[in-house]
Amino acid sequence: MKKDCAGKSCLMAMLFMEAGMIQVYANSPAPVHYREYFAGTAIMLVLTVLFNAGIETAAGAIMGVGPKRVIFLTNIGTNLIMNVLLGYLDFTFRLYLRGYYFPVMCVFEILVLAAEYRIYLRFMGGRFPKQSILKYTAAANAVSFLLGLLVLQLLGLGVF
């Protein structure tokens, strides 16, 4: 697959997921105000992605790992994909109502950690030892995950 096709495929996958979310709500017996719902969802998605990318970039600065641009862009991508997929699965299968949201989120966090580690190895492997990159990736993801849970709890939006 060409390099430029990968981005197009990702965009198409996200559009199909969004169409699936709209279909789920179109079949819902409760009235849904689409404009307000999707505006609120988009704002929360952007804030969540920027929060996690900012925390993990700051952790990289503190731990002396970089370049910061690679960390920031990697986190934007992985967190965006994770949150869109998690939101889609939640809306489709009602994970939160069934008590599966938190375990599924933890599995996704592990997958994100693995993906970020591989990306960092590719772009930073020559400058930093593998163990340092692994320690940074694990620490940064743990910090952003726990701070995210704390913020959600403080806002009354906890996942427990």
Side-chain angles (χ1 to χ4, degrees), residues 67-83:
K68 306 316 175 257
R69 185 181 72 138
V70 170
I71 294 172
F72 188 77
L73 293 175
T74 299
N75 277 280
I76 291 286
T78 56
N79 281 290
L80 183 63
I81 291 168
M82 180 188 82
N83 283 294

Side-chain angles (χ1 to χ4, degrees), residues 25-26 40 90 100 116 119 132-133 146 148 155:
Y25 277 90
D90 182 38
Y100 296 124
E116 288 177 357
I119 293 168
S132 295
I133 294 172
L146 293 173
L155 293 173

Side-chain angles (χ1 to χ4, degrees), residues 44 96 151-160:
M44 284 302 293
Y96 187 79
V151 168
L152 287 174
Q153 201 68 25
L154 291 173
L155 293 173
L157 303 169
V159 294
F160 301 110

Side-chain angles (χ1 to χ4, degrees), residues 46-116:
V46 168
L47 291 175
T48 300
V49 168
L50 289 176
F51 175 82
N52 284 317
I55 294 295
E56 294 191 29
T57 303
I62 291 169
M63 294 178 76
V65 177
K68 306 316 175 257
R69 185 181 72 138
V70 170
I71 294 172
F72 188 77
L73 293 175
T74 299
N75 277 280
I76 291 286
T78 56
N79 281 290
L80 183 63
I81 291 168
M82 180 188 82
N83 283 294
V84 167
L85 285 174
L86 191 58
Y88 175 74
L89 290 174
D90 182 38
F91 292 127
T92 304
F93 300 109
R94 306 288 190 224
L95 298 177
Y96 187 79
L97 295 175
R98 294 179 177 170
Y100 296 124
Y101 189 85
F102 187 71
V104 170
M105 184 174 66
C106 289
V107 169
F108 276 23
E109 282 290 336
I110 291 168
L111 294 173
V112 163
L113 187 138
E116 288 177 357

Side-chain angles (χ1 to χ4, degrees), residues 10-65:
C10 182
L11 179 63
M12 289 303 293
M14 289 192 323
L15 289 175
F16 283 125
M17 285 185 267
E18 192 69 25
M21 288 170 53
I22 291 170
Q23 185 63 36
V24 167
Y25 277 90
N27 294 330
S28 173
V32 177
H33 303 286
Y34 292 107
R35 180 176 289 166
E36 293 86 3
Y37 172 76
F38 287 111
T41 301
I43 290 168
M44 284 302 293
L45 178 64
V46 168
L47 291 175
T48 300
V49 168
L50 289 176
F51 175 82
N52 284 317
I55 294 295
E56 294 191 29
T57 303
I62 291 169
M63 294 178 76
V65 177

